[in-house]
Amino acid sequence: MTAPARPRRDTLNIRIKTSERGLIDRAAELTGKTRTDFILEATRRAAEDALLDRTLFLVGPEAHAEFLARLDAPPKPNPRLQRSLKTAPPWK
């Protein structure tokens, strides 16, 4: 039996100012992560956000009309909504 193949990992080298590296190192330490894990998580999140901001959904006229109608409709009362409306905001 052969061992399962491990995913290949590539190396990414970047040039960075000492002050920026210090900032990243401090943030990584405060969040309990390694520098690599901190950078990868932040970079992955930024890449996903950039891609999601440019996602286009194409729908037919009927689906678009239904979407707009649901946006315009008032929310239906439910226990979670009622609880949220009665809860004081944390900034007060």
Side-chain angles (χ1 to χ4, degrees):
M1 211 190 255
T2 61
R6 294 180 66 186
R8 182 168 181 231
R9 295 185 66 139
D10 289 326
T11 299
L12 175 65
N13 294 309
I14 61 171
R15 297 189 190 283
I16 186 171
K17 293 179 184 176
T18 303
S19 60
E20 290 173 338
R21 181 174 170 165
L23 177 68
I24 291 168
D25 286 347
R26 287 193 314 273
E29 184 178 343
L30 286 173
T31 58
K33 297 176 182 166
T34 65
R35 179 189 310 132
T36 298
D37 288 342
F38 183 85
I39 291 171
L40 281 175
E41 182 180 314
T43 305
R44 184 181 306 110
R45 188 177 330 113
E48 289 171 352
D49 288 347
L51 294 173
L52 287 172
D53 284 346
R54 287 154 184 84
T55 300
L56 177 65
F57 294 96
L58 299 175
V59 297
E62 298 84 14
H64 184 252
E66 174 67 21
F67 176 72
L68 292 178
R70 288 184 183 214
L71 285 178
D72 291 338
K76 295 178 182 173
N78 63 64
R80 185 174 176 188
L81 177 59
Q82 296 297 327
R83 189 171 55 251
S84 294
L85 291 172
K86 292 176 184 174
T87 303
W91 56 85
K92 283 192 173 186

